[in-house]
C-alpha cells in the first residue's frame, strides 16, 4: 500500500487493489434500468412531439400536455388557447413555447442530475465504484455551470403547470355542455402529479422557507415548508411517476384522437 507521504505528486488517492470494486452486489442494475427507462421515455416523447397529429380531441376538448399550449399555425383552432404565432415547420414543436423550459427544468433537477450522471456518464456509476475520470471539477465549468439556473426554470415549470391545470379544466366538455369521462380522470391525475413533482423541487423548498431565520415568526410559511419538505423526500419517486403519467396521458389522448378506441363517458 502506497502511503500518503510516498505517493507521487498528482497521483489519485486510491486504494492499491487490482479489482475495480470490492462490491459483490448488483451495483450496475440501477444505472442500467435508469438508462433504459430514460432512453425509452425520450424516444417516445421525441416521436410524439414531431408527429404533429393526434393531440386534440375536439369533441371533449382533450389536449395532450406534449402539445400544450399549441402555438404554431399548424395547430387546430380549439387547441390554440394562446394564439398561433409560430410557423408550422416540422422541426418546430407545436408546444415550442413550453417544451424547452420543461426540458431544462428536468435536466437541471437535482434528482435527474444524479440519475444521468451515474447512468449515462458513469460518474460514478455507484457508491464505492470509481469512474474513469482523472480529475473532478464538480459543476464549476461550462456547460454544467448552467445547472445553477434550476431555480429560475422552476418558475417557468410552475407557470406551465398552471397551463396544464387550465387544460384539465377546459376538458370537462361535451357536445351537450358539461361532460366527464375517463379522459378527465387521466388529465387530472397527471396535473396533480405534475404539481406534486414541481413543488417538491429543492428550489421550491428553499423559496418557501430556506431564507427564514425564525420559523416561529412565520407560522404559515413554516406549515408550507413542512408540507413541501414531506414531498421533497419523495422527489425521486415523483420524478419517475410524472414521466409515466405524462406518457400515459399523451397516449390516451392520441388513441382517442386517432379513433383507436372511444373515451369512456360517465356524464354526457
Amino acid at each position: 500500500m502506497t502511503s500518503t507521504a510516498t505517493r507521487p505528486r498528482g497521483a489519485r488517492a486510491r486504494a492499491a487493489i487490482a479489482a475495480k470494486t470490492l462490491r459483490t452486489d448488483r451495483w450496475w442494475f440501477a444505472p442500467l434500468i435508469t438508462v433504459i427507462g430514460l432512453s425509452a421515455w425520450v424516444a417516445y416523447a421525441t416521436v410524439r412531439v414531431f408527429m404533429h397529429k393526434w393531440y386534440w380531441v375536439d369533441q371533449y376538448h382533450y389536449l395532450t400536455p406534449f402539445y400544450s399550449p399549441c402555438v404554431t399555425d399548424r395547430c387546430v383552432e380549439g387547441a390554440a388557447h394562446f394564439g398561433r404565432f409560430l410557423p408550422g415547420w416540422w422541426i418546430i414543436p407545436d408546444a415550442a413555447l413550453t417544451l424547452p423550459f420543461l426540458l431544462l427544468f428536468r435536466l437541471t433537477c437535482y434528482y435527474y442530475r444524479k440519475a444521468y450522471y451515474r447512468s449515462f456518464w458513469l460518474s460514478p456509476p455507484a457508491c464505492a465504484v470509481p469512474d474513469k475520470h482523472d480529475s473532478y471539477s464538480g459543476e464549476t465549468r461550462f456547460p454544467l455551470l448552467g445547472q445553477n439556473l434550476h431555480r429560475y426554470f422552476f418558475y417557468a415549470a410552475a407557470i406551465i403547470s398552471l397551463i396544464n391545470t387550465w387544460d384539465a379544466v377546459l376538458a370537462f366538455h361535451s357536445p351537450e355542455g358539461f361532460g366527464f369521462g375517463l379522459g378527465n380522470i387521466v388529465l387530472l391525475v397527471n396535473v396533480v402529479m405534475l404539481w406534486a413533482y414541481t413543488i417538491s423541487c429543492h428550489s421550491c423548498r428553499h423559496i418557501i422557507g430556506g431564507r427564514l431565520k425564525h420559523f416561529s415568526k412565520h407560522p404559515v410559511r413554516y406549515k408550507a415548508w413542512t408540507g413541501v419538505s414531506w414531498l421533497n423526500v419523495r422527489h425521486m419517486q415523483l420524478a419517475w411517476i410524472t414521466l409515466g403519467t405524462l406518457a400515459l396521458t399523451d397516449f390516451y389522448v392520441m388513441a382517442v384522437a386517432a379513433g383507436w378506441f372511444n373515451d369512456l363517458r360517465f356524464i354526457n
Side-chain angles (χ1 to χ4, degrees), residues 178-198:
F178 175 81
F180 179 72
L182 180 58
N184 295 103
I185 297 177
V186 173
L187 288 168
L188 285 175
V189 169
N190 180 60
V191 164
V192 170
M193 291 296 101
L194 287 177
W195 273 116
Y197 167 69
T198 303

Side-chain angles (χ1 to χ4, degrees), residues 134-151:
D134 293 328
S135 61
Y136 175 75
S137 60
E139 296 174 337
T140 61
R141 298 179 181 178
F142 182 83
L144 297 185
L145 190 62
Q147 303 284 33
N148 292 323
L149 297 175
H150 178 66
R151 70 195 72 176

Side-chain angles (χ1 to χ4, degrees), residues 10-26:
R12 301 180 66 186
R14 292 279 300 281
I17 57 177
K20 181 178 181 180
T21 179
L22 297 180
R23 290 184 60 169
T24 58
D25 63 324
R26 296 190 300 172

Side-chain angles (χ1 to χ4, degrees), residues 53-115:
K53 63 178 180 179
W54 298 338
Y55 58 87
W56 169 253
V57 181
D58 186 65
Q59 188 177 11
Y60 307 125
H61 289 187
Y62 291 165
L63 177 62
T64 171
F66 285 179
Y67 285 74
S68 176
C70 209
V71 294
T72 67
D73 57 19
R74 180 178 46 242
C75 299
V76 298
E77 184 175 356
H81 306 316
F82 296 88
R84 295 175 287 186
F85 49 85
L86 291 181
W89 303 334
W90 74 269
I91 196 63
I92 299 179
D94 293 293
L97 194 65
T98 55
L99 288 180
F101 293 102
L102 287 177
L103 177 62
L104 289 170
F105 178 62
R106 299 244 174 188
L107 279 176
T108 58
C109 166
Y110 288 100
Y111 165 68
Y112 282 116
R113 279 144 76 170
K114 168 190 170 183

Side-chain angles (χ1 to χ4, degrees), residues 21-248:
T21 179
L22 297 180
R23 290 184 60 169
T24 58
D25 63 324
R26 296 190 300 172
W27 57 264
W28 48 267
F29 185 73
L32 177 62
I33 291 299
T34 301
V35 167
I36 294 174
L38 290 180
S39 298
W41 193 90
V42 169
Y44 172 83
T46 302
V47 170
R48 280 293 293 137
V49 163
F50 292 105
M51 282 182 66
H52 304 303
K53 63 178 180 179
W54 298 338
Y55 58 87
W56 169 253
V57 181
D58 186 65
Q59 188 177 11
Y60 307 125
H61 289 187
Y62 291 165
L63 177 62
T64 171
F66 285 179
Y67 285 74
S68 176
C70 209
V71 294
T72 67
D73 57 19
R74 180 178 46 242
C75 299
V76 298
E77 184 175 356
H81 306 316
F82 296 88
R84 295 175 287 186
F85 49 85
L86 291 181
W89 303 334
W90 74 269
I91 196 63
I92 299 179
D94 293 293
L97 194 65
T98 55
L99 288 180
F101 293 102
L102 287 177
L103 177 62
L104 289 170
F105 178 62
R106 299 244 174 188
L107 279 176
T108 58
C109 166
Y110 288 100
Y111 165 68
Y112 282 116
R113 279 144 76 170
K114 168 190 170 183
Y116 63 77
Y117 286 176
R118 287 191 171 188
S119 57
F120 289 91
W121 295 354
L122 301 177
S123 179
C127 294
V129 180
D131 56 31
K132 296 182 179 180
H133 297 85
D134 293 328
S135 61
Y136 175 75
S137 60
E139 296 174 337
T140 61
R141 298 179 181 178
F142 182 83
L144 297 185
L145 190 62
Q147 303 284 33
N148 292 323
L149 297 175
H150 178 66
R151 70 195 72 176
Y152 303 109
F153 297 138
F154 162 76
Y155 294 113
I159 294 173
I160 296 169
S161 293
L162 286 173
I163 295 174
N164 293 147
T165 303
W166 180 241
D167 292 335
V169 172
L170 292 180
F172 287 96
H173 173 85
S174 76
E176 290 77 26
F178 175 81
F180 179 72
L182 180 58
N184 295 103
I185 297 177
V186 173
L187 288 168
L188 285 175
V189 169
N190 180 60
V191 164
V192 170
M193 291 296 101
L194 287 177
W195 273 116
Y197 167 69
T198 303
I199 65 177
S200 70
C201 169
H202 297 73
S203 295
C204 179
R205 184 171 179 264
H206 178 74
I207 290 169
I208 291 177
R211 299 177 64 87
L212 295 180
K213 295 182 179 179
H214 304 286
F215 275 128
S216 60
K217 296 181 180 180
H218 305 274
V220 175
R221 290 183 65 179
Y222 174 68
K223 190 70 174 179
W225 181 84
T226 302
V228 170
S229 297
W230 183 85
L231 283 173
N232 180 258
V233 177
R234 296 155 178 81
H235 195 55
M236 178 184 73
Q237 291 86 346
L238 290 169
W240 282 100
I241 288 172
T242 49
L243 291 184
T245 59
L246 280 167
L248 175 63

